[in-house]
Amino acid sequence: MNRKDVDRNKISPMMKQYLDIKDKYPDTLIFYRLGDFYEMFFEDAVIGNRELGLTLTGRNAGLEERVPMCGVPHHAYVSYLDKLVEKGYKVAICEQMQDPKTTKGMVDRDIVQVVTKGTRLDSDLDEKDNNYLGSVYDFDYCYVLTFSDITTGYLYSMIIDHDKEKLVKEITKRNIKELIVSDKTDREIVQELREFYDILITIIDDLYEEDNYEGLYKNLNDIRLVTGVKHLLSYIINTKKGDLSHIQPSEVITSDKYLIFDVHTKRNLELIETIRNKDRMYSLLWLLDKTKTAMGSRLLKYNIENPLTDKEELNRRYDTIEKFLNEFILKEDLVRALDNVYDLERLLSRVSYGNLNARDLIQLKNSIRVFPTIHDILDELKYNKNIEVLNELYELLEKSINEDAPVTLKEGSLIKEGYSSELDELKSIRSNSKDFILKFEQEERERTGIKNLKVGYNKVFGYYIEISKSNIPLVKDEWKYDRKQTLVNCERFITPILKEKENIILGAEEKIIDLEYKLFMNIRDEVKKYTSILQNNSKIIAEIDMMTALTTVAEENSYIRPNITDERDIIIKNGRHPVVEKVIKDNYVSNDVIMRDDVNILLITGPNMAGKSTYMRQLAITVIMAQIGSFVPAKECSIPIFDRIFTRIGASDDLVSGDSTFMIEMKEANTAISEATQNSLILFDELGRGTATYDGMSLAQAILEYIHDNIGAKTLFSTHYHELTVLANDLPKLRNVHVSANLEDGKINFLHKVKNGAVDKSYGIHVASLAKLPKSLIERADEILDMYENKSKKEQTFTQTSLFLDFDEDKEKSSKIEEKLKNINPLEITPIEALNILYELKRDLDDKK
């Protein structure tokens, strides 16, 4: 049965209430609270059955046919909710808004929140990663991208050119999990993000128009950015339906603040995860993340993805690492203190929104306990920032919240004895009454002579006297036992005095739970007053956690302080790839990267597996580490500030978009050529290999010439087209280097050392032999290679640097000029005749062009 087929004149009041709510959330699964379960009906129930494996049952709702239904226990719904959200569904939580015990008739119900990929606030999220929800607002001539992690309160805004490709790259680079877009946004973008990147997208135009959250955008002086924030806010408020005062004022992202690279470069350099396993291990983040707090780990990841261009701030971070290295005892004390700090940012989001529990406040208290230690160490180190010590808040939490409090808030045991006299009095009544029950049980055993008589309790019958079947004949009328329940092995009774005490006990229990909940909410509201201070403390703690981690890594791996220069020289001596070095340990071969102002391009040749790609990645990672404020793996490092990094490393087809390796190469080459500046870094590995040899070689040369003549960016370009090495004769800012290897007894040995000059020969067949191809195949390949090499010597086709001239026509024109020169005797002509001849030769050359 489908919802649309229901005759609403016949349905029960409860089902009508459900349908009225469902009408408001047609694209959302409803978890509808009925007693101890969240139920799903109609199509939602079918989805629950399919996606969660729940048993599909039915419910009578006044119709001839039973309504499809399935449900999950309310106390264990989170795991089911998470599965649905991960699969891309929106789930609305519909709660009972009244206490069924005190309500006549049907209780009111309403949606209290909608949970989606980007709006989750639960504690099961990866603590080391952000969970971004984004908004795209299309202004026809530009896009505004606004995104926020509502679990931490950070909010960002940026303006992007009205270019679909740039927008998609920015969204994917930020790893935004859910997106809302304005209605005029191109549907091709929506489809691409949904199908290729599995982003949950909602199309809405609503803007937040109230003033409650004006503080989030009043610092913005661009109405476009304000509109973007209001667009995102409207969705967040409509879904979360709670207090979001922990969200912080929007930070504007501009390209000049950060070293820019796209998601392909992030992947190629394995900054966050490896290409092969999509795993954090063996990425740059894995190497550098020695942080002690979740906040520090997230900040480090953000910095790796968004390195800085502010020289002053970078030098401040280098100074901090030097200070920590020198004051190593204080630094270790600081690390130990940080190890006791919980995830303050996400704790504060739960404090603000109201979905925290007592254990969250215990974590907050334990974090605040070490604030004085952190403060004193930072003060002694003369750090330029410091946290605020919150002794009053600590004392409040210390005297109020039970250390062993339960997760839920309606079981009692939240508040310590001595915090509330009213609560203590109620607990005393309960305790005395329970003592009475124990005494009553003992007295009844003695009075009746039934030794196994016991007093029990359940929610249905309350307190009862339980007597085994064998002792039932001993029960006498004068005892005034009133039979309430008969079981297989026993019978249960109540007495007037037991009922009287039950009312006292249960009354006190209910009052205790209600009062504890009220006191807990008051404490939460008091904590909420410290939100701004705690958020500021969180930022400082995250920063010093990141800096102590970078110090630890520098110390363990003998990294050095880079010198950020205003010149364009790159001078890296004995540089290493930090991750590769960590993996292969003692066998790593360090290399220099020397590119002074007179060198913009290094053309790298050498056999496969010799280390060309590692050498290129090594430079880019060194730059990124330097521009997050880290020390770097080298003996000496002097580099400028880079504004962008472009890479094309590795060969792979894009099966999703259908692009071939060659098309991907050309697209990424075009991105670099279009967007690179003199201050950019370009890494091209084997560009042009995805097509025919001469096509690839021609394009590779043309790209090299274009970068050399028109961009001037520092570029590392590896190739197997050895013919390109002659470009060094005509491109003054290009230098040849090669990764060395040698042959011993027909076997190749990779030296992994980068040396000046071009490689002297190709080692492709020798590399193939390492893969243990059949010996006869290798020998035949040698024979074919000899044939091609001999043919090449007889019929050389590559006679000059330009691959784009008509060789026959050029040869004919060159021969005419040569004939004129042959007929000239310099000793027999006057100076004026020599000038005339020179003029004629120049004219011939111009005609040739």
Side-chain angles (χ1 to χ4, degrees), residues 508-525:
E509 191 74 47
E510 187 173 330
K511 289 177 181 177
I512 287 169
I513 290 174
D514 290 344
L515 180 56
E516 285 205 341
Y517 181 78
K518 180 181 177 182
L519 291 170
F520 182 85
M521 290 295 105
N522 291 338
I523 294 166
R524 184 204 69 184
D525 290 342

Side-chain angles (χ1 to χ4, degrees), residues 38-304:
Y38 286 111
E39 303 289 4
M40 304 167 73
F41 299 107
F42 298 104
E43 295 90 344
D44 289 7
V46 175
I47 292 172
N49 168 254
R50 183 180 70 240
E51 302 289 4
L52 301 175
L54 300 174
T55 301
L56 191 63
T57 62
R59 183 181 180 92
N60 292 322
L63 305 171
E64 294 181 6
E65 186 180 346
R66 285 161 63 87
V67 170
M69 180 181 80
C70 65
V72 299
H74 84 278
H75 62 275
Y77 78 97
V78 173
S79 60
Y80 298 99
L81 175 71
D82 287 345
K83 287 179 183 178
L84 290 171
V85 169
E86 284 300 317
K87 290 174 180 285
Y89 293 99
K90 299 179 181 180
V91 182
I93 308 299
C94 182
E95 287 287 1
Q96 297 172 165
M97 308 306 289
Q98 298 169 297
D99 187 344
K101 296 177 183 177
T102 60
T103 304
K104 292 183 179 179
M106 189 175 62
V107 299
D108 289 337
R109 294 179 177 86
D110 202 357
I111 301 298
V112 295
Q113 66 167 317
V114 178
V115 184
T116 63
K117 277 187 177 183
T119 61
R120 292 173 61 185
L121 276 170
D122 57 85
S123 56
D124 292 332
L125 290 167
D126 183 353
E127 66 173 11
K128 294 190 174 184
D129 203 0
N130 288 105
N131 191 56
Y132 286 128
L133 165 70
S135 150
V136 172
Y137 205 89
D138 189 342
F139 283 94
D140 292 326
Y141 60 92
C142 74
Y143 298 108
V144 169
L145 176 63
T146 312
F147 56 100
S148 175
D149 180 353
I150 64 171
T151 69
T152 64
Y154 288 106
L155 176 64
Y156 303 95
S157 302
M158 61 190 306
I159 296 174
I160 301 172
D161 295 340
H162 206 263
D163 181 305
K164 298 178 188 177
E165 191 171 339
K166 285 184 180 179
L167 177 63
V168 170
K169 282 184 177 180
E170 198 63 49
I171 291 168
T172 54
K173 174 189 173 182
R174 303 288 171 183
N175 196 27
I176 292 172
K177 304 289 178 61
E178 181 182 358
L179 198 67
I180 61 169
V181 301
S182 56
D183 185 58
K184 64 172 64 175
T185 305
D186 194 320
R187 293 303 186 266
E188 286 185 7
I189 298 174
V190 174
Q191 183 177 358
E192 180 178 353
L193 292 171
R194 277 177 175 163
E195 295 184 5
F196 297 162
Y197 298 101
D198 192 30
I199 297 175
L200 176 65
I201 297 182
T202 305
I203 302 172
I204 56 171
D205 281 337
D206 298 345
L207 301 180
Y208 177 72
E209 297 296 354
E210 297 180 29
D211 298 329
N212 296 354
Y213 295 101
E214 185 183 12
L216 303 186
Y217 49 81
K218 69 178 182 180
N219 62 311
L220 304 176
N221 53 16
D222 189 320
I223 189 61
R224 296 171 298 178
L225 295 175
V226 173
T227 301
V229 171
K230 287 183 174 182
H231 187 225
L232 182 61
L233 266 180
S234 173
Y235 182 76
I236 294 174
I237 290 167
N238 285 334
T239 54
K240 298 318 293 177
K241 298 181 181 295
D243 185 356
L244 297 166
S245 57
H246 69 287
I247 298 181
Q248 301 174 55
S250 179
E251 177 184 334
V252 181
I253 297 177
T254 56
S255 59
D256 61 331
K257 288 184 180 179
Y258 302 101
L259 168 61
I260 305 298
F261 48 79
D262 63 16
V263 67
H264 302 295
T265 294
K266 184 169 79 170
R267 187 180 303 123
N268 288 337
L269 297 178
E270 298 184 308
L271 298 180
I272 305 302
E273 62 183 20
T274 57
I275 296 173
R276 181 186 294 270
N277 298 324
K278 307 294 183 187
D279 191 21
R280 186 185 180 103
M281 179 171 279
Y282 301 129
S283 67
L284 179 62
L285 178 59
W286 164 79
L287 176 76
L288 298 181
D289 194 359
K290 304 291 185 183
T291 58
K292 294 297 182 181
T293 71
M295 301 171 295
S297 183
R298 289 194 297 269
L299 180 64
L300 175 62
K301 180 175 182 284
Y302 181 83
N303 273 264
I304 290 174

Side-chain angles (χ1 to χ4, degrees), residues 601 662 665-666 668-670 672-673 682 684 687-688 696-711 715 717 727 731 804:
I601 301 174
F662 182 65
E665 286 183 346
M666 292 303 100
E668 293 186 7
N670 179 60
I673 288 169
I682 300 175
F684 282 158
L687 196 68
M697 189 161 56
S698 302
L699 284 163
Q701 178 176 340
I703 289 169
L704 279 168
E705 290 176 346
Y706 189 91
I707 293 171
H708 182 278
D709 297 339
N710 298 292
I711 301 175
T715 304
F717 194 109
L727 288 171
L731 301 180
F804 306 107

Side-chain angles (χ1 to χ4, degrees), residues 4 55 120 228 376 445 529 648 664 701 717 752 760:
K4 62 181 177 60
T55 301
R120 292 173 61 185
D376 292 346
R445 285 177 181 175
K529 296 176 183 178
R648 174 55 192 167
I664 295 171
Q701 178 176 340
F717 194 109
H752 303 293
D760 55 352

Side-chain angles (χ1 to χ4, degrees), residues 489-543:
N489 299 318
C490 65
E491 292 195 16
R492 292 173 175 173
F493 303 85
I494 62 169
T495 67
I497 190 170
L498 190 60
K499 200 67 181 173
E500 179 184 343
K501 283 296 181 182
E502 175 188 290
N503 291 333
I504 295 172
I505 295 170
L506 295 184
E509 191 74 47
E510 187 173 330
K511 289 177 181 177
I512 287 169
I513 290 174
D514 290 344
L515 180 56
E516 285 205 341
Y517 181 78
K518 180 181 177 182
L519 291 170
F520 182 85
M521 290 295 105
N522 291 338
I523 294 166
R524 184 204 69 184
D525 290 342
E526 191 64 28
V527 171
K528 194 185 294 187
K529 296 176 183 178
Y530 291 86
T531 297
S532 179
I533 296 172
L534 284 166
Q535 284 181 331
N536 188 57
N537 281 2
S538 300
K539 289 178 181 178
I540 296 170
I541 288 171
E543 182 183 292

Side-chain angles (χ1 to χ4, degrees), residues 605-709:
T605 49
N608 285 324
M609 296 173 58
K612 298 191 300 295
S613 297
T614 300
Y615 180 69
M616 299 170 74
R617 286 188 175 102
Q618 173 182 311
L619 173 59
I621 288 176
T622 299
V623 167
I624 288 171
M625 288 177 67
Q627 290 190 220
I628 69 173
S630 170
F631 280 19
V632 298
K635 186 176 181 181
E636 179 184 337
C637 177
S638 181
I639 56 174
I641 294 284
F642 288 92
D643 62 0
R644 286 174 169 79
I645 296 180
F646 302 92
T647 65
R648 174 55 192 167
I649 301 176
S652 62
D653 292 355
D654 187 340
L655 298 179
V656 175
S657 66
D659 286 345
S660 66
T661 296
F662 182 65
M663 177 57 76
I664 295 171
E665 286 183 346
M666 292 303 100
K667 282 184 174 181
E668 293 186 7
N670 179 60
T671 299
I673 288 169
S674 303
E675 299 179 13
T677 71
Q678 187 180 26
N679 299 318
S680 300
L681 176 63
I682 300 175
L683 308 178
F684 282 158
D685 186 22
E686 308 288 349
L687 196 68
R689 64 181 154 186
T691 187
T693 301
Y694 286 112
D695 282 351
M697 189 161 56
S698 302
L699 284 163
Q701 178 176 340
I703 289 169
L704 279 168
E705 290 176 346
Y706 189 91
I707 293 171
H708 182 278
D709 297 339

